[in-house]
Each structure stands twice: as C-alpha cells, then as structure tokens.
Amino acid sequence: MKKSPLQIARQSYQPKMPAALLGQVVLREGQATQSVADQEEIKALFPNTYGMPVITLDAAINGRPNTTPVNVGVILSGGQAPGGHNVICGLFDGLKKINPKNKLYGFLGGPSGLVEGRYQELTADIIDEYRNTGGFDIIGSGRTKLEEEWQFDKGIEVCKQLGVNAIVIIGGDDSNTNACVLAEYYLQKNTGIQVIGCPKTIDGDLKNEMIETSFGFDTACKVYSELVGNIQRDANSAKKYWHFIRLMGRSASHIALECALQSQPNICIISEEVEANNMTLQDIVNQIAEVVAARAAAGQNFGTVLIPEGLIEFIPAMRRLIQELNDLLADNEEFVAMEGDDAKREYIKTMLTPMSCELYRSLPKAIAKQLTMDRDPHGNVQVSLIETEKLLIEMVGKKLAQMKGAGTYVGKFATQHHFFGYEGRCAIPSNFDADYCYSLGQTATQLIVAGKSGYMAVVRNLTAPAAEWIAGGVPITMMMNMEKRNGKMKPVIQKALVDLNGKPFKYLAEHRKDWASANSKYVYPGPVQYYGPTEVCDQPTRTLLLENA
Ligand code: FBP
C-alpha cells in the first residue's frame, strides 16, 4: 500500500506514556466505590462488580513479570475515533512485554465479531502497519449491541475455543455499559473471562469525575477547528457569505463548543442552553437574524454560525415531535410498505397530535422527511442525517426578508452550508490522542494481568506532561445510574452534556457578544501539527485546559 511521507514518519513515532507505566507496575487500590446514583438498584443488578475500588497504577520497585500467558480479544465498537489503533498497539506492546507468549485477537466488525466468532490474531507485522494511524480498519467496527444472554453465551463459546481470558471493549457510554453487563455475567457464570472497557468517542460525552475526556475528541475537534478557521479566513477575505456549519457530536454540544473556543466564530449555538432556556426554533432564528442584521448595518454581510448536530432534539416542541415519530415509526410495517414521499407525509400528518402536526407541516419538506428516516439501533433518530444548517438558513432568510420589509435590516444574505463529521473521525491522531490511546492500551493490559474485570481503563491528569499522567482503572458501576431506555428503566453510564456552569461554556458566554460584533475576533487554528514545539504539537483541547485549570 502506498503511503504518504507523513504516514511513513508517523509509523516510527513513539507515543509518550505516564512514567509509572514504563517499567514494572504495581496496583494500588483505593476505597470501595458506589454508583453516582440509584445505588441500591445498581448494586442489586451487579452483585459481583459493584463497589470495587478505584485502581491506580504505580511504578513498582521490585516488580515481577507475569509469567502465565494470557490471550486477549479486542473489540472496536461504534463510530470511529482517532487513536483507536493506538489503543490496540498499546495493548499489544503491553501484553508482549509482560510475556511474549501472550496473544491478542481482534474480533472483526465490532461486537458482532465476538458473537459470530469472526476474529484475527493480531501479530507484530499487522500491528506495525497501524501504529499512530487514524481509522478503525485494523479490525473494523460495528454498532451491534451486546445485551442479550444468548450473545454473551456465544461469546463464551468463542472465547473458550480461542483460549481468550479477557475481552477489551473500546467504545462509548453504551458500549461500556454493555461491557460491564458482560463482565458481571461472566463473573456470575464463573467463566474466567474478564472484560475491560476503554473510553472512546469523538463526541466527548463520555466524561465524568473519573474520566477527563474520551479519546478522539482532541483530534476530531482540531480537524474541524482548522476547517472552521479556514472558512472564517475565506469569509473575511471575500466578505460575501454567511457560513452555517453543523458539527457532529450527537446530543452533546461539546464539539461545537470546543471548535468555538478554538476559532471564535460569530455565533455558536449550544443545544443544552437552548433546552435550559426553553427556546423555540423561531427564538434561535431570531437571535441569528439579529446578529446578521447588526453586522450588516456595519457593512459586514458575512459571518460564521456553528450548529451542534443534536440541536433539533433540544428544542422542546421538536423533541415532542421526534418522540411521537419514534413511537409511530417503531416497527411500523404499514409505513415502510407505503410508496412515495407524499403518501408517507399525508399518513404521518393524520397520526400526529395537532401541535406536532402543525410543527411538522411548517418544516421544509426535506427536513420533515429526514425526521422520518431509519432510526439507529437504540431507536433514536439519526441526528447526523438531519440538515439543521439548511433549515436554519431557510428560516433566517425568511426572517431577514420580514425585517427588510419592516426597515430593520439592510444587507445581503448569501449563504454556504457545511457539515463536518466524517472528515475528522479517522484523522491521523494528534500527539495527544496518539499518546493518550497508547497509554490506555497499556493500562488495560495491566488491569487484565492483575485479573480485574468490570473496570474501565483510565488515564488522568491529562493537562500535565504525559510523563505525569496517572493511569488506572475505574469500576464501571461507579459511573452508572438508572435511566429510561425504550420504555424500561436500565442501568447506564451517565452521558455528559455541556455543563452550563462549567468553565468552557462560561468562557463562550463571556466572549460571544464580542465575537459576534462587526469587529470579528476570528482565530485560525491551522492544521494539526505532529512535529515541532510542544506548545504547538502537544496542546490538549481548550475544554480540557479550562476544566483542569
Ligand atoms: P459514537 O457515539 O459511536 O462514538 O459515534 C459518534 C458519531 O460520530 C456521532 O457524532 C454521529 O452522530 C454518529 O457517530 C454517526 O453515526 P454513523 O457513523 O453510524 O453515521
């Protein structure tokens, strides 16, 4: 396979690691833990994995290498995130360092690889090809949910055939919740198979007191911020377009917020604030139109608007409409069999409550159709498919036309729309993600050889130099609470939305008026840098810097 000069150079990049992981390692156990909420229910559901202590990995003075060989299986779950390959490389190197007879298997195509017995042994020649690369293509990923007993039992069969003693699941909040359910089941059945999770997602919503950030968020945000910065420089040069830029991130607005902190756009909408203020779609449109008009009055008929992917679900009336559509379309064979968009549209109109029906009718047809497209495996609308940026352009255009009629707006409103998501998910990992992921892989190895199960590998103190990072394990039950999913109460890891009292949002709130003004305050972050001064190459995200300040 032909490689770019950067790809070739990155193959020999040696990720930085916490000093404690460089030699022999010893585990230090803290106090017993409890779940963040609903302690009694979670304890009853996880009798074997509840209450375990937080683990810290320290450098051992007289460590002894583990001599019993172990076989480990690794799974990539969900959407791609930069650095996934390095978790696997760290895992591989860690295992081989402890005992060259240790083996690593990759389950292919995500969690279904475990259930269907599709795997490949990962050997040094394979691993070397993927060091410090983006993507999940080493073994592929998938969105199959591991949650049913028959799947767990198939997993036991496959692991027994391969002699696999431990499974590492690299995934987001749902995948790690399922990792814990699997760990508990395997302990209950006395299978001897351990399960360890790793915090992955570009969305940045798998974080809490114990997890500072999920991997991939850093690189993805840097890639999007570069693109936003480039667009801003173009806007500031040509001075003729308003750019509406939607950013991935599912429900949470962490990515939009981070990109705003890096690039200082004229407007950045935060879904969590929209919900907190009970705003309607029209309120958002009015706010944008006001900024457009104010800048136009100063002769600036251009600007940038950042829109989080999940916005639509945070507008209360929209949420109600989506909920009604979710219920209506679940297993609805009649709807699936219907031919033609118009017939489907008419059918939906007859089934909605009057309020939702009015909203549905008011939406541009394309957006209304996007709201009825296939749901994800969790039964949720796929927000990445809803072109909110186009919806807002259309509605802001209408509002400005009204304002023009009323004499409150003079200017031109020419627009461009963008959606950044897939562009960043498989980027070559930044130094931060390359180092962080490799360290997570090495940490997972240590938890495995110590016989732990039901833990997530964590690395903390991430705004310090890598040598000072603190590696360890956190019981997954510690991060859980009970939430309603598909109509039933289930134990899940709490998803972290943008905290409106947190420092990153407060920074935006303090500065956004200035950024919106006619004297734009654009910052042009430029591309991710892999070689050069540490203040250019090793900076964590602004979110992490503000949160850890
Ligand atoms: P994960 O939650 O699995 O990490 O995926 C993140 C994400 O990139 C979201 O930001 C986006 O909404 C979604 O995946 C897109 O999913 P798909 O890859 O199935 O189009």
Side-chain angles (χ1 to χ4, degrees), residues 77-79 143 200-203 248-250 309 382-384 422 425:
S77 181
R143 292 199 183 276
K200 170 237 73 165
T201 178
I202 61 160
D203 299 348
M248 246 189 195
R250 227 183 260 284
E309 175 178 79
Q382 299 190 53
V383 280
S384 62
Y422 300 99
R425 297 201 312 184

Side-chain angles (χ1 to χ4, degrees), residues 385-416:
L385 303 178
I386 299 173
E387 296 172 311
T388 330
E389 67 284 21
K390 291 189 187 166
L391 173 66
L392 288 176
I393 286 176
E394 190 172 320
M395 293 183 72
V396 171
K398 278 189 189 153
K399 175 73 190 174
L400 290 171
Q402 284 169 10
M403 289 167 73
K404 206 168 237 176
T408 50
Y409 167 63
V410 275
K412 274 193 193 148
F413 185 58
T415 58
Q416 298 287 344

